[in-house]
Amino acid sequence: MAAGVAAWLPFARAAAIGWMPVANLPMPVAPSNKNKHQDELIILNVSGRRFQTWRNTLDRYPDTLLGSSEKEFFFNEETREYFFDRDPDVFRSILNFYRTGKLHYPRYECISAYDEELAFFGIIPEIISDCCYEEYKDRKRENVERLMDDLEDNKDSKLPNMTFRETMWRAFENPHTSTMALVFYYVTGFFIAISVITNVVETVPCGYMPNQRDIPCGERYTEAFFCMDTACVMIFTVEYLMRLFAAPSRYRFMRSVMSIIDVVAILPYYIGLVMTNNEDVSGAFVTLRVFRVFRIFKFSRHSQGLRILGYTLKSCASELGFLLFSLTMAIIIFATVMFYAEKGSSSSKFTSIPASFWYTIVTMTTLGYGDMVPKTIAGKIFGSICSLSGVLVIALPVPVIVSNFSRIYHQNQRADKRRAQKVQKARLSRMRITKSGSSSAFPHSKRNGLNQSLELTGSLEEDQQLKKTTSLLESQHHHLLHCLEKTTNHEFVDERLYEQGYLQTALQNFPSQSPSLSSEEGITGTCCSQRTKKSMQPLSATHTHSHTHNLQELSALHIQCGEQQPLNTSRSSLNLMSDESGSLNCKSSGLVTTAIISIPTPPSNNYRASPDAPTPPNPDAPPLPNPGTDVVKISAL
Amino acid sequence: MSSRRRRCKRQLIKFTQHIARLITGTLSSDNEDEEQESTTLRYHPENLEQLQSQTHFSRQELQLLYRGFKNDCPSGVVNEDTFKNIYALFFPLGDSSKYAQFLFNAFDKDKNGSLSFEELVCDLSVLLRGTTEEKLNWAFNLYDINKDGQITKEEMLDILKSIYDLMGKSIHPRLKEEALRQHVRMFFQKMDINQDGVVTIDEFIDCCQKDENIMQSLKIFDNAV
């Protein structure tokens, strides 16, 4: 429950008077505040700076240091104040949390000092409010990463218990960890360079053969180039296989961009080996050699800047898309216009609109080859408009891309996408935690049997147990919800179990008992026995319901009427504190029969065998509807 | 029907405005600030002695109540949305907006759309410290939605539905329409003495005073605050 609106609880409780005339059942007893004393100011002396607040303010969060009795350890008898030897600046935010219900993180504070103070005062950082949470998480992550970087720098030697595979992977990813890795790194780099240069030189015309024109070097020194190619491909294949072996997740490695580039780089060679005999497809084979140029992308493992460039382009995909789209639009428009403008002039190169595309592109990018030139006046006018607009259209998205690149470069390339996803996921899970925490507090406390001790005029020890586990505020809130239950004659259940029970009881014969069944009319059953607070009456098979007067003491109980069910699995999932199960002599008509006997251990599969089970005097707790059986509710009369 | 036409016209006007803005090049976000009117009223209650004489609360209790009130509503008044939000925090599992609306209408005596501290505290003193007749009067006022002095079956159905909505859907047994109507029928059976289909204030007060349960339950909140 949001303690920030604790002041409104009297209003909410007073509004509950509106339910009273409509309710048919008596209301539970309200929790009494026995130790209600006048609200007093308490003084908190934090390293000399005195803060004062009402005691009620601090009591709003009873599970922190200041809200619980833990602060009594810091009470100074002589000065009648609580003294804390901590940082007073951070204490300001902490005290404001009690006052407003929101915890803020001041930006000038060091993150680890703040964390320490929060831990000291027993406040979990997850409740930092949304306005400051992003900043907090960012700083925290930076801190953690910095610590990890420091650790890694000190980690020159191998960890003793890393497997060979892990060592290899580490060597591949960080070449400066060991000399072998460094050697490997440079060797592969060298061979990539050799391979690329070979590809280039292959096509250079060199030398003369008598009575033949220039031929490229590749055809002159075929064996030499073939040997070179083979050697490079050998090295690349070995490297790829070693990386594949060392990768912690082979499937993920094979999907990564770098490995695809590796594969594409070496594949043409093997395809060429296979296909040398076949004359028809050798033409296609020649085209495949183009893919050898992809080897140059292997350099991106060696160069950080290249990787950042690739990542920038990926992250600016939308801007690039916009650029492309607007360029296409402009090209089509201007090509059409130029075509129709130049249609009149003779010997015009603008033979069709697609032919004008070339002119438009060359003009808009300010290349201006001059192979196609407009001759008419209209054509020249539109041509100039075309070149002017080209400058504008291209100039607009480019600064965005540039700024993106510089931002990523300067940020030490932490993947923005990864960070945004983590924060979003954490935020969603936080919201879920707080929501489920507040909404399931009441069913949880019901299960813990606290409401029962509220309902009966409890003895002293129950009240103390009550105070121990919940604060007065919470108990009043739970009392309010309990009154609501009584008014409407329905019960709150935990949401998850509601879903379970809903799915399973939907398939069964749910006896459509209206709420009036559980009212004064009594139980039309063949037998019943009751469980009072102190004593236990034995189960009797064929009692009539003449014991209705004893039902006054029964709180809400659930009676399961069903066949044998495998209870153990469902029991363990319910995680009840005090197990109760129904022991039934039920007829197949599904009428309500017996009552409850409490068994501390999970019951055996056979319900009917439990009449003689011993029952300790547990406090009553309303057992939750056991999914899979017909459940009928009997509530207190 | 006319409201739909009006909405259509309004949207058409908005659309043309949007087109005009597109053409002239102003950004739409600049103009939105002008559309929001600032409704910051400051309101402060009467002084403490007067409130003390009007209600059954002691000075300290009034101080405590006002401190909490001012914390959440610095402007001094609660409007309907804030009231609904605050009330929803007490019933996280269900939907409390309808019942909060009924409550708001019952608290808001002068019907100006906002609750001041005096209105709240006067009603609170009636509910927590008043006589049973006053409490029943207040409850009747709550149930009588259109304030005509009679509770009809439809009004009671609405009220009960809103109370059941407070529970939410994870309740057991599952809420059925029939259970609701049954509850209304039971209420009318009990309260409507002359069986004319409506419950007047005298019938209501009479029946409630005869019912032990209700008398008992009206007293349980007497020590709240």
Side-chain angles (χ1 to χ4, degrees), chain B residues 150-151 188-204 207:
Chain B
Q150 292 175 337
I151 307 181
F188 267 82
Q189 245 173 356
K190 205 167 30 152
M191 302 279 167
D192 194 6
I193 303 180
N194 55 359
Q195 295 296 323
D196 58 353
V198 293
V199 177
T200 61
I201 179 127
D202 306 307
E203 291 175 342
F204 183 72
C207 288

Side-chain angles (χ1 to χ4, degrees), chain A residues 368-410:
Chain A
Y369 288 137
D371 53 348
M372 283 164 84
V373 175
K375 294 207 170 52
T376 60
I377 306 255
K380 286 185 181 160
I381 292 177
F382 287 119
S384 40
I385 298 179
C386 174
S387 62
L388 285 175
S389 62
V391 168
L392 280 175
V393 166
I394 293 186
L396 282 176
V398 167
V400 177
I401 300 177
V402 166
S403 74
N404 256 357
F405 181 80
S406 82
R407 178 175 59 87
I408 295 176
Y409 192 77
H410 284 300

Side-chain angles (χ1 to χ4, degrees), chain A residues 1-2 4-33 36 38-39 54 56 60 99-100 435 438-440 442-443 476-477 479-481 483-485 487-495 498-499 501-502 505-506 510 512-516 520 558 625 631-633, chain B residues 58 60-61 63-65 67-73 78 82-83 86-87 89-94 99 103 107 117 120-121 123-124 127-129 135-136 138-140 142-143 156 159-160 163-176 179 182-183 186-187 190-191 204 208 211 213-214 216-225:
Chain A
M1 189 187 107
V5 289
W8 291 87
L9 192 58
F11 294 103
R13 298 180 83 207
I17 297 271
W19 309 334
M20 300 304 151
V22 234
N24 303 316
L25 312 167
M27 293 292 145
V29 174
S32 59
N33 21 4
K36 181 178 145 109
Q38 286 296 351
D39 206 6
W54 298 108
N56 269 356
R60 286 184 194 162
R99 292 179 180 142
T100 60
K435 182 173 180 292
S438 66
S439 60
S440 60
F442 182 58
Q476 285 182 343
H477 186 214
H479 173 250
L480 189 66
L481 292 174
C483 287
L484 182 60
E485 283 185 342
T487 311
T488 57
N489 227 328
H490 289 62
E491 261 208 358
F492 282 109
V493 299
D494 203 357
E495 284 177 331
Y498 170 73
E499 301 294 326
Y502 178 63
T505 55
F510 192 91
S512 57
Q513 318 270 5
S514 68
S516 58
E520 296 84 44
H558 287 287
V631 184
V632 175
K633 175 176 170 267
Chain B
S58 73
Q60 278 84 4
E61 288 167 341
Q63 283 179 338
L64 201 64
L65 283 172
R67 281 205 295 262
F69 176 81
K70 184 88 177 168
N71 212 12
D72 285 313
C73 312
V78 194
T82 321
F83 189 77
I86 292 176
Y87 205 68
L89 290 170
F90 292 106
F91 301 97
L93 294 167
Y99 188 65
L103 273 184
F107 275 126
F117 183 64
L120 274 178
V121 125
D123 273 342
L124 207 65
L127 287 173
L128 297 180
R129 305 273 166 96
K135 292 182 190 176
L136 290 172
W138 185 89
F140 186 84
L142 174 71
Y143 298 150
M156 190 34 82
I159 295 274
L160 271 183
I163 294 182
Y164 274 77
D165 278 343
L166 289 174
M167 305 264 306
K169 57 174 187 60
S170 350
I171 54 178
H172 177 81
R174 286 195 324 277
L175 179 63
K176 300 194 177 63
Q182 173 74 359
H183 204 152
M186 270 197 319
F187 179 79
K190 205 167 30 152
M191 302 279 167
F204 183 72
C208 287
D211 190 336
N213 267 342
I214 296 184
Q216 201 61 34
S217 45
L218 282 179
K219 294 205 180 58
I220 57 170
F221 287 122
D222 281 350
N223 64 346
V225 173

Side-chain angles (χ1 to χ4, degrees), chain A residues 276-405:
Chain A
T276 30
N277 309 327
N278 210 338
E279 285 297 326
D280 303 334
V281 293
S282 62
F285 164 66
V286 168
T287 341
L288 270 182
R289 293 176 128 216
V290 163
F291 284 103
R292 288 190 303 175
V293 82
F294 271 78
R295 289 178 194 168
I296 206 171
F297 282 116
K298 287 167 68 78
F299 265 131
S300 54
R301 272 217 187 90
H302 296 251
S303 155
Q304 187 131 309
L306 216 59
R307 270 206 298 266
I308 296 179
L309 183 63
Y311 184 67
T312 310
L313 291 176
K314 201 164 43 142
S315 69
C316 303
S318 63
E319 278 87 24
L320 286 175
F322 165 67
L323 173 62
L324 212 61
F325 178 66
S326 56
L327 264 182
T328 313
M329 254 181 30
I331 286 173
I332 294 179
I333 291 176
F334 279 109
T336 313
V337 166
M338 291 305 295
F339 173 69
Y340 282 112
E342 288 288 303
K343 203 159 181 215
S345 89
S346 56
S347 75
S348 157
K349 291 239 178 70
F350 295 81
T351 48
S352 65
I353 295 188
S356 315
F357 279 166
W358 175 242
Y359 168 76
T360 319
I361 291 176
V362 165
T363 313
M364 280 185 93
T365 53
T366 70
L367 274 179
Y369 288 137
D371 53 348
M372 283 164 84
V373 175
K375 294 207 170 52
T376 60
I377 306 255
K380 286 185 181 160
I381 292 177
F382 287 119
S384 40
I385 298 179
C386 174
S387 62
L388 285 175
S389 62
V391 168
L392 280 175
V393 166
I394 293 186
L396 282 176
V398 167
V400 177
I401 300 177
V402 166
S403 74
N404 256 357
F405 181 80

Side-chain angles (χ1 to χ4, degrees), chain A residues 81-101:
Chain A
E81 61 188 18
Y82 294 88
F83 181 77
F84 297 95
D85 204 5
R86 311 290 299 186
D87 188 359
D89 288 327
V90 179
F91 189 75
R92 246 193 42 197
S93 338
I94 291 179
L95 194 53
N96 277 337
F97 166 63
Y98 286 91
R99 292 179 180 142
T100 60

Side-chain angles (χ1 to χ4, degrees), chain A residues 459-475:
Chain A
S459 54
L460 192 58
E461 66 263 17
E462 282 154 18
D463 269 339
Q464 285 177 353
Q465 182 196 21
L466 176 71
K467 283 285 189 332
K468 243 190 302 183
T469 45
T470 60
S471 68
L472 181 65
L473 229 47
E474 254 193 64
S475 64

Side-chain angles (χ1 to χ4, degrees), chain A residues 90 111 166 170 177 339 346 404 472 576 588 607 631:
Chain A
V90 179
I111 184 75
E166 283 173 1
R170 232 178 102 242
T177 47
F339 173 69
S346 56
N404 256 357
L472 181 65
L576 292 174
S588 57
Y607 259 134
V631 184

